[in-house]
Amino acid sequence: MSIKSTAPNPSTVLGRQLGDELRRLREAAKLTTTQAAEALDCTKGKISRIENGRVAVRLPDLTAMLHAYEAAHPALLERLSALARSANRRRRQGWWNQYGSVLADTYRDYIALEAMAGEIRTFQAQLVPGLLQTPEYIRAVTVASRQWQTADEIEKFVQVRLGRQERLAGESPLRLWAVLSEAVLLQQVGGPQVMHAQLEGLLAVSERANVTIQVLPFVRGAHASMFGPYVVLGFPEEAALDVVLADNPTGSIWLEREAEVARYQDLFDAARTSALSPMESRALIRRRSKEHRA
């Protein structure tokens, strides 16, 4: 019997959580990935991708794995089956999929993870974080990127970013902690009026209990985060690990290895420690906002 899988998909939190449990069950059965693959008549690579949360797990395949690992207890099968259904549904569904024509794969993956995250910590060197951007600021950034050409494409991307911002509201809002380089406050995105409105928007949203904004001023000199923006996503599931989306000169990359994620957690801790306090940051944002208005 072979294990069938869908085409590889980016890791999701629920998929990784399921994969972690399957890996622990395999190890408890004292089977290597090679031995598990032989028992299930599939490749070692498929076992690894399932355990890494890279592919969806069909329920018949899950049942076969639990039998091979001598762990097919009804309660365990029911719980892991529910987890598999949730993980697979997350991959297929989401309001953002209707905008697939204007979204790169990495961005769709990011929105899917953001929808499940409980907390986001981010450092931004040049731009206001997407979750905090005003419509006109979003529009100016989208036009400047030259990735979208028509007015319809631009407007769709604006709507996607505004849709993401709904995560900051509701009964269980996302917790956002953003550290911004002072350059973010000075960059004339869209012109003085757009920047004034954007900074006023930052002041308003910074009053929310689930949003923390700090500014890292120029006078603090060189720091480890100055080489590029990044986002650390944390999740409410107890077994879930943080993941990082980092930008570099060739594009954005996902980082999920524990050591790599720990490095960015340390970077963020250093950045927030060096930055102004939230109260001091609001004062600086207010001053910069008045300068743009003038």
Side-chain angles (χ1 to χ4, degrees):
M1 176 178 57
S2 63
I3 291 183
K4 296 180 180 179
S5 62
T6 62
N9 283 288
S11 172
T12 67
V13 175
L14 298 178
R16 288 203 333 275
Q17 184 177 353
L18 175 61
D20 286 342
E21 295 214 36
L22 289 173
R23 186 188 68 253
R24 287 194 287 267
L25 290 171
R26 175 181 58 76
E27 291 172 347
K30 301 188 185 306
L31 293 176
T32 65
T33 53
T34 299
Q35 291 169 328
E38 290 175 352
L40 294 163
D41 190 24
C42 68
T43 66
K44 175 183 174 181
K46 285 187 178 180
I47 297 293
S48 295
R49 287 194 294 273
I50 287 174
E51 292 182 356
N52 290 330
R54 295 291 180 180
V55 293
V57 182
R58 297 171 62 247
L59 298 185
D61 300 336
L62 174 62
T63 301
M65 296 180 81
L66 293 181
H67 277 293
Y69 301 159
E70 298 182 354
H73 312 301
L76 178 62
L77 177 59
E78 181 179 355
R79 183 172 64 83
L80 294 188
S81 294
L83 186 58
R85 284 192 294 269
S86 296
N88 297 346
R89 185 165 57 250
R90 289 287 191 180
R91 285 182 167 91
R92 294 192 303 268
Q93 297 179 347
W95 61 265
W96 53 90
N97 287 330
Q98 64 184 302
Y99 298 100
S101 61
V102 296
L103 300 180
D105 289 344
T106 301
Y107 193 39
R108 283 202 301 270
D109 305 341
Y110 177 80
I111 298 174
L113 285 179
E114 184 179 78
M116 291 184 282
E119 178 184 31
I120 285 180
R121 289 160 287 168
T122 182
F123 172 80
Q124 294 295 323
Q126 202 71 32
L127 294 172
V128 171
L131 287 170
L132 302 178
Q133 293 176 2
T134 63
E136 288 306 318
Y137 188 98
I138 298 170
R139 197 165 282 109
V141 170
T142 306
V143 171
S145 72
R146 299 187 179 181
Q147 295 184 57
W148 300 272
Q149 302 299 322
T150 69
D152 181 63
E153 290 175 337
I154 292 170
E155 191 57 33
K156 284 182 178 178
F157 189 82
V158 172
Q159 292 306 312
V160 168
R161 189 148 287 182
L162 292 176
R164 286 176 50 207
Q165 295 178 5
E166 295 182 10
R167 284 290 285 112
L168 294 177
E171 295 182 359
S172 299
L174 179 72
R175 298 185 302 277
L176 175 64
W177 194 333
V179 177
L180 315 179
S181 166
E182 188 175 356
V184 173
L185 311 183
L186 297 174
Q187 187 73 32
Q188 289 279 349
V189 175
Q193 290 184 343
V194 171
M195 282 304 301
H196 171 68
Q198 175 61 78
L199 297 188
E200 289 298 307
L202 287 181
L203 290 172
V205 76
S206 69
E207 299 292 339
R208 298 186 185 182
N210 60 309
V211 177
T212 301
I213 299 174
Q214 293 180 262
V215 178
L216 187 52
F218 292 139
V219 295
R220 299 292 162 87
H223 56 89
S225 290
M226 65 190 299
F227 300 101
Y230 54 86
V231 181
V232 182
L233 298 100
F235 305 93
E237 290 82 6
E238 184 177 349
L241 300 174
D242 289 356
V243 296
V244 172
L245 183 67
D247 288 343
N248 61 44
T250 59
S252 300
I253 57 172
W254 287 108
L255 301 171
E256 296 182 274
R257 294 180 180 177
E258 191 169 353
E260 294 173 330
V261 172
R263 166 64 175 159
Y264 278 90
Q265 291 170 332
D266 290 343
L267 283 177
F268 183 80
D269 285 342
R272 68 177 179 82
T273 301
S274 298
L276 300 175
S277 70
M279 183 177 296
E280 293 170 328
S281 296
R282 282 194 291 271
L284 178 56
I285 293 171
R286 189 171 291 108
R287 290 199 301 272
R288 295 304 188 194
S289 176
K290 292 178 180 179
E291 293 170 2
H292 287 298
R293 183 177 59 186

